[in-house]
Amino acid sequence: TVREWIVTGLAMPTKRLELISPLPVICVIDHLYRDLAVADAARRGRFTHAGVELVLGRRPDWIDGGLADDVEWRIEWVKLYEGLALAHAYSITGEIDYLTAWEDLVETFCDQVAVGADVSDVTARRVQNWLYAWRRFADAPHYDGLRPGLAERIAERVIADAEHLRLHLTPHRNHRTLELYALLIVGLSLPDYDDGLARFALDELGENLSTDVWTDGVHRECSTDYHCIALRSYLGAIANARAAGLDLPDGYLDRASLALDFALHIQRPDGLTPSFSDGDTVDFRELLAFGAELFDRDDLRWAATRGTAGCAPTCSDATFPVA
């Protein structure tokens, strides 16, 4: 049971219960969400999404707070990307208030919001961000654990969310991808909860990749932005599977490499990826650099560095006939 894991899973029996933290995983967004201004605003209870700032407090009303007439604002808010910024601020300053602010936010969410209250993809992102932030806090040299009882509570809530998520996966497309990736992160972070969860998530991601990325390497939604967002999860699965000693599904690497081909050829010379169909114009050079390391591809390395490393692609024009 989770309670047994919390007691027996500690590396050192002398540590207090609240010193438990999730096992390390490769965080594919580790380079993002390090804005100290965002962290300072969050510890004052101020949150900005879609250009709208609201003062909601450090122990907010997670159900009725936010913009009553804007569901999208709340969706972005409850994912709590601010937690990663709070953890980064704590790691470089040692100020305990950044940690207690995150504790307040997560604790009140557990108090107020029932498992399954949010749609699956929102739950997936929130769970993933909680684990990423918690691990970032735990890696700080001055970290001395969460407030008494909170580590156990967070672990139990994450497990309950994962169990609900596994039963309510989106049937297809990028929401399913991020949901499965969140389950992979839970399975690797809390392996004694269910030692088969990571394997299940990885196998399902393989099926999702073969279905959603066509044979020419383009994601089925035909959106340049969503293609790269989904690709980030697919690549993160490769990195985390290798780190954990898990075999990838058959054909996974080949299809992921094709998806990288498309990401390479849609990048503009200024390093930005234009917005086709839905999504934003974004700098995905870090994604190409990640792919370059995973696949040892000099063409990706060249594009990621704007020509300062690697080698230019041998073909400068490309056709994607399925898409």
Side-chain angles (χ1 to χ4, degrees):
T1 67
V2 62
R3 197 170 296 275
E4 289 171 339
W5 171 77
I6 287 170
V7 173
T8 63
L10 295 173
M12 296 177 61
T14 56
K15 287 188 176 181
R16 301 192 311 275
L17 177 65
E18 61 267 24
L19 282 179
I20 192 171
S21 60
L23 295 180
V25 294
I26 296 170
C27 175
V28 293
I29 57 172
D30 190 58
H31 60 293
L32 302 173
Y33 307 106
R34 293 171 174 260
D35 192 325
L36 296 183
V38 170
D40 285 329
R43 69 171 175 168
R44 296 194 303 271
R46 307 175 76 95
F47 304 89
T48 302
H49 295 285
V52 177
E53 182 183 67
L54 297 179
V55 180
L56 302 172
R58 281 173 41 155
R59 302 184 71 85
D61 181 345
W62 285 105
I63 297 174
D64 296 321
L67 292 178
D69 58 346
D70 191 339
V71 174
E72 292 297 325
W73 197 97
R74 181 184 181 278
I75 284 175
E76 289 305 307
W77 176 47
V78 299
K79 291 176 183 177
L80 199 58
Y81 283 100
E82 291 89 350
L84 282 80
L86 287 165
H88 175 66
Y90 172 75
S91 68
I92 64 173
T93 68
E95 292 186 34
I96 192 67
D97 193 47
Y98 291 115
L99 174 59
T100 57
W102 184 76
E103 291 175 325
D104 287 344
L105 292 166
V106 174
E107 186 175 58
T108 51
F109 192 95
C110 292
D111 288 342
Q112 299 172 27
V113 184
V115 172
D118 294 306
V119 296
S120 296
D121 64 291
V122 175
T123 296
R125 277 291 190 238
R126 173 180 55 79
V127 166
Q128 182 178 303
N129 289 341
W130 280 15
L131 290 172
Y132 284 161
W134 190 2
R135 188 65 229 178
R136 188 177 279 183
F137 279 116
D139 286 338
H142 32 271
Y143 178 75
D144 193 32
L146 303 181
R147 64 183 56 154
L150 185 57
E152 179 179 15
R153 190 170 189 193
I154 294 175
E156 289 175 342
R157 175 56 189 258
V158 167
I159 289 167
D161 284 327
E163 290 174 345
H164 182 272
L165 187 58
R166 186 169 178 171
L167 295 174
H168 297 85
L169 289 166
T170 302
H172 48 68
R173 302 202 180 206
N174 70 81
H175 284 184
R176 182 178 181 86
T177 306
L178 69 89
E179 291 160 13
L180 289 169
Y181 189 70
L183 289 180
L184 177 64
I185 296 302
V186 173
L188 296 175
S189 297
L190 308 176
D192 292 317
Y193 145 59
D194 181 349
D195 59 7
L197 181 61
R199 183 72 264 168
F200 163 81
L202 196 57
D203 288 342
E204 288 295 318
L205 273 169
E207 181 65 25
N208 175 253
L209 173 60
S210 66
T211 299
D212 280 16
V213 174
W214 290 326
T215 54
D216 62 353
V218 183
H219 191 273
R220 66 188 291 179
E221 295 197 35
C222 293
S223 160
T224 47
D225 189 23
Y226 283 123
H227 176 97
C228 292
I229 290 173
L231 180 57
R232 181 183 283 138
S233 292
Y234 294 135
L235 297 184
I238 295 172
N240 276 294
R242 287 176 176 172
L246 295 174
D247 292 331
L248 289 161
D250 291 342
Y252 194 106
L253 291 175
D254 290 339
R255 191 59 61 92
S257 185
L258 289 174
L260 280 166
D261 290 343
F262 183 67
L264 168 68
H265 284 287
I266 58 176
Q267 180 180 285
R268 300 191 315 210
D270 63 0
L272 296 178
T273 293
S275 175
F276 295 160
S277 185
D278 189 16
D280 301 319
T281 299
V282 181
D283 185 343
F284 282 112
R285 281 177 290 176
E286 50 79 21
L287 184 67
L288 295 182
F290 191 29
E293 294 306 309
L294 291 175
F295 287 85
D296 193 22
R297 286 182 50 172
D298 272 342
D299 56 346
L300 297 172
R301 197 169 286 115
W302 180 88
T305 62
R306 298 182 69 182
T308 62
C311 300
T314 55
C315 178
S316 61
D317 59 345
T319 300
F320 303 94
V322 181

